[in-house]
Amino acid sequence: MSSHAERRAQRLRSAVVNAVSAKEFERLPGLLKQIAALTPTASLWCATGNGHLEADRRLWGLAGTRCQVMGQLLASKWKSAVKGTQRKRTAEDVMTKPLGGLKALPFLEAVRSIESALPEYVPGGLGETVVHRCAVVLVLHCFRQVLHVEGVDINDLDSLHMGPAEKSMAKHLAESVEAHAKRRRSLRASSSLIGPSSSSATLSSQGAIAPAGGPPAAAADVAVELSSFSSGQSRVRLGELFAAWGADGVGATLTPKQAVEKLGIARAQGGPVQELMQAKAAALRLQANRTWPIFRNPYTAANYVGSVLWTCVHLGLSTEWYTEAVKLTLKGAKMVHVAATGGTKRVSQIMNETVVSQLVKLAHFSGEAEVGIIWLLAWEFLLRVQSEAVGLQAGQAAEADKLPDGRHSAVWVEDGQYLVLRLRRRKNRPQGSVLRRACTCRSSSIVPCVVHAAWRILANKAPGDRLWAGTPAVLLAKMRRLLAQLRVQEAEQYTFKAFRAGRATALAAAGKSVGSILTAGEWRSAAFLAYVDEDIVDKAQLLNAALEESGGEL
């Protein structure tokens, strides 16, 4: 049976949750003072959930800066007291997390999201109060969006602590979401990306496909025609057929977006677009005995197909479309790519500390200090320059948990000693990242200190301002021009990958652990080895070190 102190702490936790849910933030200072009157113990800290609440500085900041400071001081006091007990943690010490396991601001955002979506799924609602209470209870039970209710047994909703009106709304919501999901699955199963257009297709005497007004061929005839060709002939023939409809370059020089636009125009003119795409896939399979027709890179195509397959498995949809023919198409595309390009190439030119240092200093003396900062950030944070570094924006500490809508990123200096970078999203990290780098003024590195170099630029920027207003193409041209001025060999061969690959190589050459390299570049596996220059670092030796670090389980 819980003690009097635990029951009091639980009541205070519930009062804080209710105050946040109802947006009665003026109650928080008084509740914080009552929590401060409790005697700190490890079990009280963990079991009642007050530890989770006290650690959320943004929660107490909802009531003002003074309350936020009080909350931080109280959290430090409790942590010190609990740490001083020198008692081993037990299973009972697992931290209870109120607010559905969320921090205060994400909790309120989830409630707002469900509140705004409920009327769409439950028309003729029962009033704002009922909608709000229903949304709060759903978020407290770890439902972040209305779509998360899909698949929930309606009878299970009886176990939620809701009033009759809220429970009725939740059940209607579950039924409506499930009905919407069934309709979506039905539409996906019965539709395709581009509908058939065989009604407008006929076979010409030469077997060629021509635009409307000319005699196009049927899909079966095209497939038969192509099957008798060699793989090289089939690619040439298909190029002619796509060009006849104004869609030349599909799967070769066009991006997927451009390919879809041109194919859409061709279909609007009566072209047999779907048949052409099927014929292209058939020609690729001939090579494998062959990237998906609109992709230029087969590995990108394989990633997209894999993502669709994972989504179908996750949502319980049919995977019958993932046939041996699909696998052969992807395999053949990779073979074509290797034959045409020699396969994936590692970065031929990489940066090192000396080049980066000279590049940043030359940019500064050339009156382009902001360009130098972009390169310095790309080096220190191992950024992907085109998607991450070029669009960097000034920010502030309040944006660490959540960026304002429409913001790409936020960069700010913390305590004069750390540079913090918040990205809205990164490859393999759709929720974004928060990265920190410390001042290096007293280190032996010849690269300028990123903290103080960025500080000078940020001093003239407001939150949301771009650190540099140019485009990736302009930045690449400037980089190559300055590298040429530095008499760097083959300056025109450098690409943006030179920063990420160079930094990874430098870390490995300096003897950094594989774990620290993975963390610095936010890689999830030994994939970073593809960036390391074999002429500088022995990859086999590095991999052996990684295996030793992981106990043979990499």
Side-chain angles (χ1 to χ4, degrees):
M1 186 172 180
S2 61
S3 66
H4 174 73
E6 287 183 351
R7 291 194 297 272
R8 176 171 172 74
Q10 289 168 352
R11 287 196 298 271
L12 287 173
R13 175 199 66 199
S14 299
V16 172
V17 172
N18 291 336
V20 172
S21 302
K23 298 184 180 179
E24 297 174 351
F25 304 137
E26 68 278 1
R27 295 171 51 193
L28 293 178
L31 293 171
L32 186 61
K33 290 181 180 178
Q34 295 181 55
I35 295 176
L38 296 173
T39 302
T41 65
S43 59
L44 196 65
W45 173 263
C46 297
T48 64
N50 283 289
H52 178 78
L53 296 176
E54 288 182 21
D56 186 0
R57 62 182 183 84
R58 302 287 296 278
L59 184 155
W60 307 108
L62 294 172
T65 305
R66 183 187 179 109
C67 186
Q68 183 179 27
V69 173
M70 289 174 56
Q72 289 181 276
L73 293 174
L74 181 59
S76 299
K77 172 186 172 183
W78 271 76
K79 289 179 181 178
S80 300
V82 171
K83 186 177 181 180
T85 59
Q86 298 296 326
R87 185 175 68 82
K88 291 185 178 180
R89 293 174 65 90
T90 66
E92 296 179 353
D93 289 336
V94 176
M95 177 74 79
T96 298
K97 294 186 177 181
L99 299 175
L102 297 173
K103 297 288 188 179
L105 294 186
F107 170 80
L108 291 173
E109 179 62 26
V111 171
R112 186 203 63 77
S113 174
I114 293 182
E115 276 183 319
S116 61
L118 267 172
E120 177 185 348
Y121 290 90
V122 189
L126 301 176
E128 292 184 2
T129 302
V130 176
V131 170
H132 176 73
R133 286 202 299 259
C134 182
V136 168
V137 174
L138 288 174
V139 176
L140 289 176
H141 287 81
C142 300
F143 295 101
R144 306 290 186 251
Q145 302 173 13
V146 292
L147 294 181
H148 292 173
V149 183
E150 180 184 341
V152 173
D153 190 332
I154 293 179
N155 295 323
D156 291 341
L157 297 175
D158 291 329
S159 63
L160 302 185
H161 299 293
M162 288 183 173
E166 293 84 0
K167 190 172 297 184
S168 174
M169 177 174 284
K171 289 185 176 181
H172 278 90
L173 173 64
E175 292 173 346
S176 181
V177 169
E178 186 63 30
H180 278 68
K182 287 181 179 179
R183 286 197 293 272
R184 287 198 305 271
R185 289 194 290 268
S186 176
L187 287 173
R188 290 193 196 105
S190 61
S191 63
S192 59
L193 178 63
I194 304 176
S197 54
S198 58
S199 61
S200 62
T202 58
L203 181 63
S204 70
S205 57
Q206 292 82 18
I209 297 180
D221 297 317
V222 173
V224 170
E225 180 185 358
L226 292 175
S227 65
S228 62
F229 287 177
S230 68
S231 59
Q233 289 174 317
S234 67
R235 288 198 298 273
V236 172
R237 178 64 171 155
L238 273 172
E240 294 173 351
L241 300 178
F242 275 97
W245 285 98
D248 52 309
V250 171
T253 59
L254 299 181
T255 65
K257 181 179 179 180
Q258 293 169 336
V260 170
E261 289 176 350
K262 288 203 171 186
L263 291 172
I265 294 173
R267 183 173 183 271
Q269 294 175 349
V273 170
Q274 184 172 351
E275 298 170 350
L276 278 172
M277 299 298 283
Q278 290 170 343
K280 187 172 180 64
L284 288 172
R285 284 196 290 276
L286 292 176
Q287 181 72 24
N289 95 285
R290 267 168 186 202
T291 205
W292 217 246
I294 66 171
F295 290 99
R296 292 180 291 179
N297 189 310
Y299 303 99
T300 301
N303 288 340
Y304 273 75
V305 172
S307 298
V308 173
L309 178 63
W310 181 92
T311 302
C312 289
V313 172
H314 179 66
L315 297 178
L317 304 178
S318 173
T319 58
E320 294 180 357
W321 57 269
Y322 191 62
T323 62
E324 288 300 319
V326 173
K327 298 176 185 177
L328 283 175
T329 301
L330 293 172
K331 181 179 179 181
K334 292 178 182 178
M335 295 174 67
V336 170
H337 180 72
V338 171
T341 66
T344 303
K345 300 178 181 178
R346 70 178 179 87
V347 181
S348 58
Q349 306 295 335
I350 66 172
M351 296 287 183
N352 56 45
E353 285 191 341
T354 301
V355 174
V356 171
S357 176
Q358 293 176 346
L359 191 63
V360 172
K361 291 177 181 177
L362 182 57
H364 177 76
F365 288 124
S366 301
E368 299 177 300
E370 293 176 346
V371 174
I373 288 298
I374 296 298
W375 292 327
L376 189 56
L377 289 167
W379 171 264
E380 291 292 347
F381 288 93
L382 288 93
L383 298 179
R384 297 169 181 88
V385 177
Q386 187 161 344
S387 61
E388 296 170 355
V390 173
L392 287 177
Q393 298 170 289
Q396 53 191 345
E399 296 166 347
D401 293 334
K402 186 177 186 301
L403 287 172
D405 291 342
R407 285 281 296 278
H408 167 273
S409 54
V411 183
W412 68 92
V413 175
E414 185 177 277
D415 300 329
Q417 294 296 317
Y418 298 94
L419 186 67
V420 186
L421 169 58
R422 171 71 160 93
L423 292 170
R424 179 175 292 278
R425 61 178 60 87
R426 296 195 84 183
K427 183 179 180 181
N428 300 325
R429 292 177 179 267
Q431 301 304 317
S433 297
V434 178
L435 307 170
R436 291 162 58 92
R437 295 293 185 268
C439 170
T440 58
C441 290
R442 297 184 180 180
S443 71
S444 59
S445 174
I446 62 175
V447 177
C449 173
V450 69
V451 177
H452 293 92
W455 205 349
R456 289 190 290 270
I457 299 297
L458 293 171
N460 301 318
K461 303 287 184 181
D465 287 350
R466 287 269 303 273
L467 300 191
W468 181 68
T471 65
V474 173
L475 185 65
L476 182 61
K478 288 180 181 292
M479 181 186 76
R480 290 172 172 172
R481 174 172 55 81
L482 295 183
L483 286 174
Q485 291 180 21
L486 293 171
R487 300 184 182 277
V488 175
Q489 293 184 355
E490 298 181 334
E492 288 300 317
Q493 301 300 317
Y494 276 74
T495 66
F496 287 141
K497 285 188 177 181
F499 290 99
R500 191 166 165 86
R503 185 60 170 157
T505 300
L507 292 172
K512 298 296 183 181
S513 69
V514 173
S516 64
I517 299 175
L518 291 174
T519 301
E522 291 198 329
W523 284 289
R524 292 187 175 183
S525 68
F528 79 94
L529 291 173
Y531 288 84
V532 175
D533 190 339
E534 292 177 332
D535 296 333
I536 300 175
V537 179
D538 187 338
K539 289 186 180 180
Q541 184 177 355
L542 191 61
L543 185 57
N544 287 335
L547 290 170
E548 290 177 3
E549 288 180 14
S550 60
E553 299 177 358
L554 186 62

